[in-house]
Amino acid sequence: MGIYDRDYYREQPRYRRRRKNPLANFSAVGLIIIVNVALFLLNGIFWSEGNQLTTHLLMTGEAMANPLQWYRLITYGFAHAPNTLGHIAGNMLTLFFLGRFVEMRYGKKEFLLIYFLSIFLCGLVWGLFNFNEPAAMLGASGAISTIVILFALNFPNVQLLLFFILPMPAWVLGVAYIVYDAFGAAGGQSNIAHGVHLTGAAFALLYFFSRWNFSRLLTMPKPGRKKTPRGKGIGIFAETDDELLEPDESASSLEREVDRILRKINQSGENSLSDQERATLRRASDEYQRRRR
């Protein structure tokens, strides 16, 4: 019996429903992709000759010496090379395929905080190394590196298809990602900001192993409200008896089931999921958030 069937729940007075934020229907990944694509198209349609919009968004070493230009520490992450589709397509496709599961793991608010902090830190590190230099940098690659590494850390055994052809576990992709950028940064001569990628990867590793939770830090407890002891009250409940397992057994079995579902998505697409499998993914996300509180 669900909580909605309980007498004490039905007797609660009804309150006028609040208006929903229209953006609430979009995932964080969806919103980020929409903004990036919109800015790319706007630049191409209205400023195709001089790329003025992209020029105002990208990060430069000279901007670090001018506090009025520090907004670029964020905006550069939403600007992509205007003369090619490869730059924005590669970043947004990676975000779409991997970012959704990272968002599911951490939640929408936490995902956005991770993403924007990654953009800021990557831009800051690059700006300090190129302080007052005419060099320029743009693109979401640093934040994408953070998402790739977080995916590999959270779902290490999920099979991925590199370039849609080469199968490999997520942890191998994560290691290869870091090794490639390390060699690229050591080489020095490249149009790719390998150092920015490595900064994003380092941020992901630090976040994961330090067990940070930015949402919790920003959420102030309400005055007079006492925290319910974990495992008590009606905040956590199981819909079926099968979910009432011992904590260790429940966590391990749920993790295995999530890995199986992710492999199925990788092989057959998200539309192949049953309602029960979708519910399992939602429950796994809720359970992970509960553990991090």
Side-chain angles (χ1 to χ4, degrees):
M1 180 171 64
I3 61 171
Y4 301 101
D5 298 323
R6 316 265 176 143
D7 291 337
Y8 59 77
Y9 187 92
R10 290 200 303 267
E11 292 174 358
Q12 296 296 321
R14 293 186 177 182
Y15 298 93
R16 186 166 56 185
R17 184 177 299 176
R18 295 180 178 179
R19 290 184 178 180
K20 290 186 177 180
N21 185 344
L23 296 179
N25 295 326
F26 290 92
S27 67
V29 169
L31 289 172
I32 293 170
I33 292 176
I34 289 172
V35 172
N36 275 276
V37 172
L39 291 173
F40 182 82
L41 293 176
L42 286 173
N43 181 79
I45 294 173
F46 297 104
W47 296 281
S48 59
E49 293 185 3
N51 298 315
Q52 291 93 333
L53 179 59
T54 298
T55 301
H56 283 296
L57 297 176
L58 57 77
M59 181 64 190
T60 67
E62 295 170 338
M64 286 297 298
N66 182 1
L68 296 178
Q69 297 289 316
W70 286 353
Y71 69 88
R72 296 175 183 267
L73 288 170
I74 295 295
T75 59
Y76 83 90
F78 295 88
H80 289 82
N83 299 321
T84 176
L85 287 174
H87 190 206
I88 187 172
N91 282 337
M92 294 303 102
L93 283 174
T94 303
L95 180 62
F96 176 76
F97 285 115
L98 303 185
R100 293 178 298 160
F101 301 105
V102 177
E103 180 182 352
M104 188 180 301
R105 177 69 98 183
Y106 293 109
K108 182 176 180 178
K109 181 180 179 180
E110 184 71 6
F111 182 90
L112 286 172
L113 290 170
I114 292 170
Y115 192 87
F116 277 92
L117 277 172
S118 178
I119 288 178
F120 174 78
L121 289 174
C122 290
L124 180 63
V125 171
W126 182 92
L128 292 175
F129 275 98
N130 295 273
F131 187 83
N132 211 22
E133 296 291 334
M137 184 265 294
L138 75 170
S141 300
I144 298 301
S145 294
T146 298
I147 301 306
V148 170
I149 301 305
L150 281 178
F151 183 93
L153 291 169
N154 283 287
F155 311 104
N157 298 317
V158 172
Q159 292 291 319
L160 301 174
L161 291 177
L162 183 63
F163 304 120
F164 302 99
I165 299 175
L166 183 63
M168 65 173 58
W171 72 266
V172 174
L173 176 63
V175 172
Y177 212 87
I178 294 175
V179 171
Y180 170 76
D181 283 315
F183 277 103
Q189 300 297 324
S190 174
N191 290 328
I192 301 175
H194 293 288
V196 173
H197 298 180
L198 291 174
T199 302
F203 174 61
L205 290 167
L206 188 60
Y207 176 88
F208 182 83
F209 289 108
S210 298
R211 301 179 65 84
W212 287 341
N213 188 308
F214 302 129
S215 301
R216 183 177 59 192
L217 293 176
L218 295 177
T219 302
M220 299 297 294
K222 293 183 179 181
R225 183 177 179 180
K226 295 183 179 180
K227 185 176 180 180
T228 303
R230 186 173 296 179
K232 297 182 180 181
I234 63 171
I236 303 170
F237 65 96
E239 295 182 355
T240 64
D241 292 338
D242 294 335
E243 297 179 24
L244 300 177
L245 304 173
E246 293 297 323
D248 292 340
E249 181 183 356
S250 176
S252 60
S253 62
L254 184 59
E255 188 74 23
R256 289 194 299 269
E257 179 65 8
V258 168
D259 286 343
R260 182 193 69 78
I261 294 173
L262 291 177
R263 287 195 297 270
K264 181 178 180 181
I265 293 175
N266 184 60
Q267 295 171 359
S268 306
E270 188 175 353
N271 293 332
S272 65
L273 297 184
S274 65
D275 292 340
Q276 183 177 358
E277 288 170 331
R278 295 177 189 275
T280 298
L281 289 177
R282 288 193 296 270
R283 183 163 62 91
S285 177
D286 294 340
E287 176 65 18
Y288 188 80
Q289 288 295 311
R290 183 182 67 82
R291 283 189 235 154
R292 290 178 64 86
R293 290 177 186 149

